[in-house]
Short mmCIF file of all heavy atoms in Angstrom, two decimals:
data_model
loop_
_atom_site.label_atom_id
_atom_site.label_comp_id
_atom_site.label_asym_id
_atom_site.label_seq_id
_atom_site.Cartn_x
_atom_site.Cartn_y
_atom_site.Cartn_z
N ARG A 1019 9.19 -27.64 -5.53
CA ARG A 1019 8.11 -26.78 -5.99
C ARG A 1019 6.76 -27.48 -5.99
O ARG A 1019 5.73 -26.82 -5.89
CB ARG A 1019 8.42 -26.25 -7.40
CG ARG A 1019 9.56 -25.22 -7.40
CD ARG A 1019 9.69 -24.56 -8.74
NE ARG A 1019 10.72 -23.52 -8.74
CZ ARG A 1019 10.54 -22.28 -8.30
NH1 ARG A 1019 9.38 -21.92 -7.82
NH2 ARG A 1019 11.52 -21.40 -8.34
N ARG A 1020 6.75 -28.76 -6.16
CA ARG A 1020 5.47 -29.49 -6.17
C ARG A 1020 5.30 -30.31 -4.90
O ARG A 1020 4.78 -31.42 -4.91
CB ARG A 1020 5.39 -30.40 -7.40
CG ARG A 1020 5.36 -29.63 -8.70
CD ARG A 1020 4.95 -30.49 -9.86
NE ARG A 1020 4.83 -29.73 -11.09
CZ ARG A 1020 4.39 -30.23 -12.24
NH1 ARG A 1020 4.04 -31.50 -12.30
NH2 ARG A 1020 4.32 -29.47 -13.32
N GLY A 1021 5.74 -29.76 -3.81
CA GLY A 1021 5.61 -30.46 -2.54
C GLY A 1021 4.79 -29.67 -1.55
O GLY A 1021 4.30 -28.58 -1.83
N GLU A 1022 4.64 -30.23 -0.38
CA GLU A 1022 3.91 -29.59 0.71
C GLU A 1022 4.71 -29.73 1.98
O GLU A 1022 5.57 -30.60 2.11
CB GLU A 1022 2.53 -30.23 0.89
CG GLU A 1022 1.59 -30.07 -0.30
CD GLU A 1022 0.23 -30.70 -0.03
OE1 GLU A 1022 0.07 -31.34 1.03
OE2 GLU A 1022 -0.66 -30.56 -0.89
N GLY A 1023 4.42 -28.86 2.93
CA GLY A 1023 5.07 -28.95 4.23
C GLY A 1023 5.74 -27.66 4.65
O GLY A 1023 5.75 -27.30 5.82
N MET A 1024 6.33 -26.96 3.69
CA MET A 1024 6.97 -25.69 4.00
C MET A 1024 6.16 -24.53 3.42
O MET A 1024 5.81 -24.54 2.24
CB MET A 1024 8.40 -25.63 3.44
CG MET A 1024 9.11 -24.29 3.75
SD MET A 1024 10.88 -24.25 3.36
CE MET A 1024 10.83 -24.16 1.56
N ARG A 1025 5.85 -23.56 4.26
CA ARG A 1025 5.19 -22.34 3.82
C ARG A 1025 6.10 -21.16 4.09
O ARG A 1025 6.67 -21.04 5.18
CB ARG A 1025 3.84 -22.15 4.54
CG ARG A 1025 2.81 -23.24 4.26
CD ARG A 1025 1.54 -23.01 5.06
NE ARG A 1025 0.86 -21.80 4.62
CZ ARG A 1025 -0.12 -21.20 5.31
NH1 ARG A 1025 -0.51 -21.70 6.49
NH2 ARG A 1025 -0.72 -20.13 4.84
N VAL A 1026 6.26 -20.33 3.08
CA VAL A 1026 7.17 -19.18 3.17
C VAL A 1026 6.38 -17.92 2.86
O VAL A 1026 5.75 -17.82 1.80
CB VAL A 1026 8.34 -19.33 2.18
CG1 VAL A 1026 9.27 -18.12 2.29
CG2 VAL A 1026 9.11 -20.62 2.44
N PHE A 1027 6.45 -16.96 3.77
CA PHE A 1027 5.79 -15.68 3.52
C PHE A 1027 6.80 -14.72 2.93
O PHE A 1027 7.86 -14.46 3.51
CB PHE A 1027 5.22 -15.08 4.80
CG PHE A 1027 4.58 -13.73 4.59
CD1 PHE A 1027 3.47 -13.61 3.76
CD2 PHE A 1027 5.10 -12.59 5.19
CE1 PHE A 1027 2.88 -12.37 3.54
CE2 PHE A 1027 4.51 -11.35 4.98
CZ PHE A 1027 3.40 -11.24 4.15
N VAL A 1028 6.46 -14.20 1.75
CA VAL A 1028 7.31 -13.23 1.07
C VAL A 1028 6.69 -11.85 1.24
O VAL A 1028 5.59 -11.59 0.75
CB VAL A 1028 7.46 -13.56 -0.42
CG1 VAL A 1028 8.32 -12.50 -1.11
CG2 VAL A 1028 8.07 -14.95 -0.61
N ARG A 1029 7.41 -10.98 1.95
CA ARG A 1029 6.96 -9.60 2.16
C ARG A 1029 7.74 -8.70 1.22
O ARG A 1029 8.95 -8.57 1.33
CB ARG A 1029 7.18 -9.17 3.61
CG ARG A 1029 6.81 -7.71 3.90
CD ARG A 1029 5.33 -7.48 3.69
NE ARG A 1029 4.90 -6.17 4.13
CZ ARG A 1029 4.79 -5.09 3.35
NH1 ARG A 1029 5.11 -5.17 2.07
NH2 ARG A 1029 4.35 -3.96 3.84
N SER A 1030 7.03 -8.12 0.25
CA SER A 1030 7.67 -7.26 -0.74
C SER A 1030 7.68 -5.82 -0.27
O SER A 1030 6.64 -5.26 0.07
CB SER A 1030 6.94 -7.36 -2.08
OG SER A 1030 7.06 -8.65 -2.64
N PHE A 1031 8.86 -5.23 -0.28
CA PHE A 1031 9.00 -3.80 -0.02
C PHE A 1031 9.39 -3.15 -1.34
O PHE A 1031 10.56 -2.89 -1.62
CB PHE A 1031 10.07 -3.54 1.04
CG PHE A 1031 9.70 -4.03 2.40
CD1 PHE A 1031 10.12 -5.28 2.84
CD2 PHE A 1031 8.93 -3.26 3.25
CE1 PHE A 1031 9.78 -5.74 4.10
CE2 PHE A 1031 8.58 -3.70 4.52
CZ PHE A 1031 9.00 -4.95 4.94
N ALA A 1032 8.38 -2.94 -2.18
CA ALA A 1032 8.62 -2.27 -3.46
C ALA A 1032 8.44 -0.77 -3.26
O ALA A 1032 7.69 -0.34 -2.38
CB ALA A 1032 7.66 -2.80 -4.51
N PRO A 1033 9.12 0.04 -4.05
CA PRO A 1033 8.89 1.49 -3.96
C PRO A 1033 7.41 1.81 -4.17
O PRO A 1033 6.69 1.07 -4.84
CB PRO A 1033 9.74 2.05 -5.10
CG PRO A 1033 10.79 1.02 -5.35
CD PRO A 1033 10.13 -0.30 -5.07
N ARG A 1034 6.97 2.91 -3.59
CA ARG A 1034 5.57 3.29 -3.74
C ARG A 1034 5.21 3.44 -5.21
O ARG A 1034 6.02 3.94 -6.01
CB ARG A 1034 5.31 4.62 -3.03
CG ARG A 1034 5.25 4.54 -1.53
CD ARG A 1034 4.88 5.90 -0.95
NE ARG A 1034 5.91 6.90 -1.23
CZ ARG A 1034 5.72 8.21 -1.17
NH1 ARG A 1034 4.51 8.69 -0.87
NH2 ARG A 1034 6.70 9.06 -1.41
N PRO A 1035 4.02 3.01 -5.61
CA PRO A 1035 3.60 3.24 -6.99
C PRO A 1035 3.46 4.73 -7.25
O PRO A 1035 3.27 5.53 -6.32
CB PRO A 1035 2.24 2.53 -7.07
CG PRO A 1035 1.74 2.51 -5.66
CD PRO A 1035 2.97 2.35 -4.81
N ARG A 1036 3.56 5.11 -8.51
CA ARG A 1036 3.55 6.52 -8.86
C ARG A 1036 2.18 6.99 -9.34
O ARG A 1036 1.46 6.25 -10.02
CB ARG A 1036 4.58 6.80 -9.94
CG ARG A 1036 6.02 6.49 -9.55
CD ARG A 1036 6.98 7.04 -10.58
NE ARG A 1036 6.99 8.50 -10.58
CZ ARG A 1036 7.63 9.23 -11.47
NH1 ARG A 1036 8.31 8.65 -12.44
NH2 ARG A 1036 7.60 10.55 -11.42
N MET A 1037 1.84 8.21 -8.97
CA MET A 1037 0.70 8.91 -9.54
C MET A 1037 1.23 10.18 -10.19
O MET A 1037 1.83 11.03 -9.51
CB MET A 1037 -0.34 9.25 -8.47
CG MET A 1037 -1.47 10.15 -9.01
SD MET A 1037 -2.71 10.63 -7.77
CE MET A 1037 -3.68 9.13 -7.68
N LEU A 1038 1.02 10.31 -11.49
CA LEU A 1038 1.44 11.50 -12.23
C LEU A 1038 0.20 12.34 -12.51
O LEU A 1038 -0.74 11.88 -13.16
CB LEU A 1038 2.11 11.10 -13.54
CG LEU A 1038 3.29 10.13 -13.42
CD1 LEU A 1038 3.89 9.87 -14.79
CD2 LEU A 1038 4.35 10.67 -12.47
N VAL A 1039 0.20 13.55 -11.99
CA VAL A 1039 -0.92 14.47 -12.16
C VAL A 1039 -0.46 15.59 -13.09
O VAL A 1039 0.45 16.37 -12.75
CB VAL A 1039 -1.38 15.06 -10.81
CG1 VAL A 1039 -2.57 15.98 -11.01
CG2 VAL A 1039 -1.73 13.93 -9.84
N PHE A 1040 -1.07 15.68 -14.25
CA PHE A 1040 -0.68 16.68 -15.25
C PHE A 1040 -1.72 17.81 -15.27
O PHE A 1040 -2.91 17.57 -15.49
CB PHE A 1040 -0.56 16.04 -16.63
CG PHE A 1040 0.53 15.00 -16.70
CD1 PHE A 1040 0.23 13.65 -16.66
CD2 PHE A 1040 1.85 15.38 -16.80
CE1 PHE A 1040 1.22 12.69 -16.73
CE2 PHE A 1040 2.87 14.43 -16.87
CZ PHE A 1040 2.55 13.09 -16.83
N GLY A 1041 -1.24 19.01 -15.03
CA GLY A 1041 -2.13 20.16 -14.98
C GLY A 1041 -2.19 20.73 -13.58
O GLY A 1041 -2.80 20.12 -12.70
N ALA A 1042 -1.57 21.88 -13.35
CA ALA A 1042 -1.50 22.48 -12.01
C ALA A 1042 -2.73 23.33 -11.74
O ALA A 1042 -2.64 24.54 -11.53
CB ALA A 1042 -0.22 23.29 -11.87
N ILE A 1043 -3.90 22.70 -11.72
CA ILE A 1043 -5.15 23.41 -11.46
C ILE A 1043 -5.64 23.08 -10.06
O ILE A 1043 -5.04 22.25 -9.36
CB ILE A 1043 -6.22 23.05 -12.52
CG1 ILE A 1043 -6.59 21.56 -12.42
CG2 ILE A 1043 -5.72 23.39 -13.92
CD1 ILE A 1043 -7.72 21.15 -13.34
N ASP A 1044 -6.74 23.71 -9.64
CA ASP A 1044 -7.22 23.49 -8.28
C ASP A 1044 -7.60 22.03 -8.04
O ASP A 1044 -7.40 21.49 -6.94
CB ASP A 1044 -8.40 24.41 -7.96
CG ASP A 1044 -9.49 24.35 -9.02
OD1 ASP A 1044 -9.30 23.68 -10.05
OD2 ASP A 1044 -10.56 24.98 -8.81
N PHE A 1045 -8.13 21.35 -9.05
CA PHE A 1045 -8.49 19.95 -8.89
C PHE A 1045 -7.24 19.10 -8.64
O PHE A 1045 -7.30 18.09 -7.95
CB PHE A 1045 -9.21 19.44 -10.14
CG PHE A 1045 -10.61 19.95 -10.28
CD1 PHE A 1045 -10.87 21.11 -10.97
CD2 PHE A 1045 -11.68 19.26 -9.71
CE1 PHE A 1045 -12.18 21.59 -11.09
CE2 PHE A 1045 -12.98 19.73 -9.82
CZ PHE A 1045 -13.23 20.90 -10.52
N ALA A 1046 -6.11 19.52 -9.19
CA ALA A 1046 -4.89 18.74 -9.04
C ALA A 1046 -4.44 18.68 -7.58
O ALA A 1046 -3.90 17.68 -7.12
CB ALA A 1046 -3.79 19.32 -9.91
N ALA A 1047 -4.65 19.77 -6.85
CA ALA A 1047 -4.26 19.79 -5.44
C ALA A 1047 -5.04 18.74 -4.65
O ALA A 1047 -4.49 18.03 -3.80
CB ALA A 1047 -4.47 21.17 -4.85
N ALA A 1048 -6.33 18.62 -4.93
CA ALA A 1048 -7.16 17.63 -4.23
C ALA A 1048 -6.78 16.21 -4.66
O ALA A 1048 -6.73 15.30 -3.83
CB ALA A 1048 -8.64 17.89 -4.52
N VAL A 1049 -6.50 16.02 -5.94
CA VAL A 1049 -6.10 14.70 -6.43
C VAL A 1049 -4.76 14.29 -5.80
O VAL A 1049 -4.57 13.14 -5.39
CB VAL A 1049 -6.01 14.69 -7.96
CG1 VAL A 1049 -5.39 13.38 -8.46
CG2 VAL A 1049 -7.40 14.87 -8.57
N ALA A 1050 -3.83 15.22 -5.71
CA ALA A 1050 -2.54 14.93 -5.09
C ALA A 1050 -2.71 14.53 -3.63
O ALA A 1050 -2.05 13.61 -3.14
CB ALA A 1050 -1.62 16.15 -5.20
N ARG A 1051 -3.62 15.21 -2.94
CA ARG A 1051 -3.86 14.90 -1.53
C ARG A 1051 -4.41 13.48 -1.37
O ARG A 1051 -3.95 12.71 -0.53
CB ARG A 1051 -4.84 15.92 -0.94
CG ARG A 1051 -4.97 15.88 0.57
CD ARG A 1051 -5.88 16.99 1.07
NE ARG A 1051 -5.50 18.28 0.50
CZ ARG A 1051 -6.30 19.04 -0.23
NH1 ARG A 1051 -7.55 18.65 -0.48
NH2 ARG A 1051 -5.88 20.19 -0.70
N VAL A 1052 -5.39 13.13 -2.19
CA VAL A 1052 -5.97 11.79 -2.12
C VAL A 1052 -4.96 10.73 -2.57
O VAL A 1052 -4.88 9.65 -1.99
CB VAL A 1052 -7.24 11.71 -2.97
CG1 VAL A 1052 -7.76 10.28 -3.05
CG2 VAL A 1052 -8.33 12.62 -2.40
N GLY A 1053 -4.18 11.04 -3.60
CA GLY A 1053 -3.18 10.09 -4.06
C GLY A 1053 -2.16 9.77 -2.99
O GLY A 1053 -1.79 8.61 -2.80
N THR A 1054 -1.70 10.80 -2.27
CA THR A 1054 -0.77 10.58 -1.16
C THR A 1054 -1.41 9.72 -0.09
O THR A 1054 -0.79 8.80 0.47
CB THR A 1054 -0.32 11.93 -0.57
OG1 THR A 1054 0.35 12.67 -1.59
CG2 THR A 1054 0.61 11.72 0.60
N PHE A 1055 -2.67 9.99 0.22
CA PHE A 1055 -3.41 9.21 1.22
C PHE A 1055 -3.48 7.73 0.83
O PHE A 1055 -3.39 6.84 1.67
CB PHE A 1055 -4.81 9.79 1.38
CG PHE A 1055 -5.70 9.02 2.31
CD1 PHE A 1055 -5.51 9.07 3.69
CD2 PHE A 1055 -6.72 8.22 1.82
CE1 PHE A 1055 -6.32 8.34 4.55
CE2 PHE A 1055 -7.54 7.49 2.68
CZ PHE A 1055 -7.34 7.55 4.05
N LEU A 1056 -3.62 7.46 -0.47
CA LEU A 1056 -3.71 6.08 -0.96
C LEU A 1056 -2.35 5.39 -1.06
O LEU A 1056 -2.29 4.21 -1.40
CB LEU A 1056 -4.41 6.05 -2.32
CG LEU A 1056 -5.89 6.40 -2.34
CD1 LEU A 1056 -6.42 6.38 -3.76
CD2 LEU A 1056 -6.69 5.45 -1.46
N GLY A 1057 -1.28 6.12 -0.80
CA GLY A 1057 0.04 5.49 -0.79
C GLY A 1057 0.85 5.70 -2.05
O GLY A 1057 1.91 5.07 -2.21
N TYR A 1058 0.41 6.56 -2.95
CA TYR A 1058 1.16 6.83 -4.17
C TYR A 1058 2.25 7.88 -3.93
O TYR A 1058 2.13 8.73 -3.04
CB TYR A 1058 0.23 7.34 -5.27
CG TYR A 1058 -0.66 6.28 -5.87
CD1 TYR A 1058 -1.96 6.10 -5.39
CD2 TYR A 1058 -0.20 5.46 -6.89
CE1 TYR A 1058 -2.78 5.11 -5.93
CE2 TYR A 1058 -1.02 4.48 -7.44
CZ TYR A 1058 -2.31 4.30 -6.95
OH TYR A 1058 -3.10 3.34 -7.48
N ARG A 1059 3.31 7.79 -4.72
CA ARG A 1059 4.30 8.87 -4.79
C ARG A 1059 3.82 9.81 -5.87
O ARG A 1059 3.84 9.47 -7.05
CB ARG A 1059 5.70 8.32 -5.10
CG ARG A 1059 6.77 9.40 -5.15
CD ARG A 1059 8.17 8.79 -5.07
NE ARG A 1059 8.50 8.02 -6.24
CZ ARG A 1059 9.06 8.50 -7.34
NH1 ARG A 1059 9.33 9.79 -7.42
NH2 ARG A 1059 9.37 7.71 -8.36
#
Side-chain angles (χ1 to χ4, degrees):
R1019 289 190 177 278
R1020 295 194 176 185
E1022 296 181 355
M1024 180 170 73
R1025 297 178 66 194
V1026 180
F1027 178 63
V1028 178
R1029 176 64 172 95
S1030 294
F1031 293 95
R1034 286 184 295 161
R1036 299 191 67 187
M1037 172 181 282
L1038 305 182
V1039 182
F1040 296 103
I1043 65 175
D1044 52 354
F1045 287 90
V1049 171
R1051 191 176 311 121
V1052 173
T1054 299
F1055 176 74
L1056 292 177
Y1058 287 95
R1059 181 164 68 89

